[in-house]
Amino acid sequence: MNMSMSRVSILSVLTLILGVGIMTFVTSSSLLAMFTQAVVYAISALGVGFLLRQNGLVSFGHALFFGAAGYGMGVILQLEWMSAEAAIFAVLGGLAVMGFLMGLVIVRVPGIAFGMLTLAIGQMAYLLATRATGMTGGTDGMSVAWPNEVFGFSQSVLLKPAVLFMIAWVLMVVVTYILLWVIRTRFGAITEAIRDNEERARFIGITTTVPRALIFAISGVVTGIAGLLSSFNTGFVSPENLHWSVSAITLLMVVVGGFKRPVGPIIGAIVYFLFKDLLGEYATHSNAIFGAALIAVIVFSPDGIIGAIERAFKGKKPAGAAHQPISH
């Protein structure tokens, strides 16, 4: 396990260097803004993918955490309850508690019923945001009044495209590293055992509900980090941040990239934005093309792009190639 995490540490450092390279050599502000948006959604997808990988549960309502993070910051800063720095930790802590308490109830629901329940809860939050006009601004949304300085840095500096991209990139790498570490702990092994056979896990004395609720809470916090980044980037939050379509797009990224490896959702987010922004300039039906690509991935590589890449590399190995059966 130590060697595995050592490799993860090396790869994390190399990924950080790659981010510095992108920040340095990409001079287009619009392109950097697109990269930043892709990284924000990649972080959100990491949360959804982590839930799917560790709990085996599909959430159609994780936009709840994405939007709640922005609204939480907006309300706290508007009412001047605390500093922005304290508010960030308060919001993430609140999301953790909310996710854990929700998880204690809804992780007991199996299969597609869990997904429908998360969808219903997310849409309830969306409707609440549209109707609570006094606090949230209703359908018009609300401005998030970030102060001139955050963590000692000027907002004008932090909002520069290159700097904001690097902030998002570093957070993505840190979140990925932490999730990989969690997966490799005893807690990660326990949640995987529960995912594979909950009845057997109970038989050997493992309490199943609390670990599953903790995974749900962690995934919600990760998606909430993306929501905070989005609110800082735009200075605005609206009910659209809570809409089921945000959850659907994030889930598409996870499916396309592959959820069996933590980096899969990141790849899915990159592919999605390549289709949406780059191909969108030449084709008015970029979403339809992405949908077709999604179907192709599901049919030919159910474990996503990352699974296809892994199989391609394994297929290049000459050892054992002669006696290996044809993969399905």
Side-chain angles (χ1 to χ4, degrees), residues 124-249:
M124 284 175 57
Y126 169 76
L127 292 174
L128 179 63
T130 58
R131 295 177 182 178
T133 54
M135 181 175 293
T136 66
T139 54
D140 294 331
M142 69 181 298
S143 298
V144 182
W146 289 88
N148 293 328
E149 285 193 2
V150 181
F151 291 107
F153 296 96
S154 171
Q155 185 181 151
S156 59
V157 172
L158 295 176
L159 287 176
K160 288 181 179 179
V163 176
L164 190 58
F165 164 77
M166 200 61 207
I167 292 171
W169 187 270
V170 169
L171 282 173
M172 181 188 72
V173 173
V174 170
V175 167
T176 305
Y177 183 89
I178 292 172
L179 293 182
L180 282 166
W181 174 78
V182 170
I183 288 169
R184 284 162 171 76
T185 60
R186 185 173 182 272
F187 171 72
I190 288 173
T191 53
E192 287 179 17
I194 296 170
R195 176 202 66 198
D196 293 338
N197 194 320
E198 186 171 358
E199 186 176 349
R200 182 179 295 174
R202 285 175 179 164
F203 182 76
I204 62 176
I206 297 175
T207 303
T208 60
T209 303
V210 171
R212 286 161 68 88
L214 284 171
I215 291 294
F216 186 79
I218 293 170
S219 72
V221 170
V222 171
T223 301
I225 291 172
L228 286 176
L229 273 172
S230 177
S231 71
F232 183 72
N233 183 21
T234 61
F236 181 77
V237 62
S238 75
E240 295 306 313
N241 294 99
L242 292 162
H243 197 257
W244 69 267
S245 59
V246 175
S247 301
I249 290 169

Side-chain angles (χ1 to χ4, degrees):
M1 185 178 73
N2 291 334
M3 184 175 294
S4 296
M5 287 312 296
S6 297
R7 290 177 180 175
V8 170
S9 300
I10 293 170
L11 288 173
S12 297
V13 172
L14 292 175
T15 307
L16 289 173
I17 293 171
L18 175 62
V20 173
I22 295 172
M23 180 185 70
T24 304
F25 294 107
V26 176
T27 55
S28 169
S29 296
S30 59
L31 195 56
L32 276 172
M34 187 197 78
F35 287 163
T36 302
Q37 192 178 14
V39 173
V40 168
Y41 270 88
I43 296 172
S44 181
L46 279 170
V48 177
F50 182 70
L51 175 67
L52 183 55
R53 186 190 188 280
Q54 294 303 113
N55 275 1
L57 296 172
V58 177
S59 172
F60 294 106
H62 252 53
L64 168 65
F65 297 99
F66 187 87
Y71 274 114
M73 282 300 300
V75 171
I76 290 174
L77 293 177
Q78 187 180 64
L79 299 177
E80 299 181 349
W81 284 346
M82 59 186 75
S83 67
E85 294 84 357
I88 290 171
F89 293 106
V91 167
L92 294 179
L95 291 177
V97 172
M98 179 180 74
F100 180 69
L101 294 177
M102 281 177 56
L104 287 176
V105 178
I106 66 174
V107 298
R108 302 169 189 264
V109 181
I112 192 64
F114 172 86
M116 293 299 99
L117 186 55
T118 58
L119 175 62
I121 294 171
Q123 285 303 100
M124 284 175 57
Y126 169 76
L127 292 174
L128 179 63
T130 58
R131 295 177 182 178
T133 54
M135 181 175 293
T136 66
T139 54
D140 294 331
M142 69 181 298
S143 298
V144 182
W146 289 88
N148 293 328
E149 285 193 2
V150 181
F151 291 107
F153 296 96
S154 171
Q155 185 181 151
S156 59
V157 172
L158 295 176
L159 287 176
K160 288 181 179 179
V163 176
L164 190 58
F165 164 77
M166 200 61 207
I167 292 171
W169 187 270
V170 169
L171 282 173
M172 181 188 72
V173 173
V174 170
V175 167
T176 305
Y177 183 89
I178 292 172
L179 293 182
L180 282 166
W181 174 78
V182 170
I183 288 169
R184 284 162 171 76
T185 60
R186 185 173 182 272
F187 171 72
I190 288 173
T191 53
E192 287 179 17
I194 296 170
R195 176 202 66 198
D196 293 338
N197 194 320
E198 186 171 358
E199 186 176 349
R200 182 179 295 174
R202 285 175 179 164
F203 182 76
I204 62 176
I206 297 175
T207 303
T208 60
T209 303
V210 171
R212 286 161 68 88
L214 284 171
I215 291 294
F216 186 79
I218 293 170
S219 72
V221 170
V222 171
T223 301
I225 291 172
L228 286 176
L229 273 172
S230 177
S231 71
F232 183 72
N233 183 21
T234 61
F236 181 77
V237 62
S238 75
E240 295 306 313
N241 294 99
L242 292 162
H243 197 257
W244 69 267
S245 59
V246 175
S247 301
I249 290 169
T250 307
L251 187 58
L252 285 178
M253 294 173 183
V254 174
V255 173
V256 169
F259 66 89
K260 292 185 178 180
R261 296 289 183 270
V263 296
I266 297 174
I267 294 174
I270 293 170
V271 169
Y272 174 81
F273 277 92
L274 283 174
F275 271 92
K276 179 176 178 291
D277 290 279
L278 299 182
L279 187 61
E281 295 178 5
Y282 306 100
T284 55
H285 301 294
S286 57
N287 284 336
I289 297 171
F290 184 76
L294 173 63
I295 293 171
V297 168
I298 292 173
V299 172
F300 297 107
S301 180
D303 47 357
I305 294 173
I306 190 70
I309 293 172
E310 287 181 347
R311 283 194 301 275
F313 276 103
K314 288 178 181 178
K316 291 178 182 178
K317 293 182 179 180
H323 63 268
Q324 286 288 341
I326 297 174
S327 60
H328 58 278

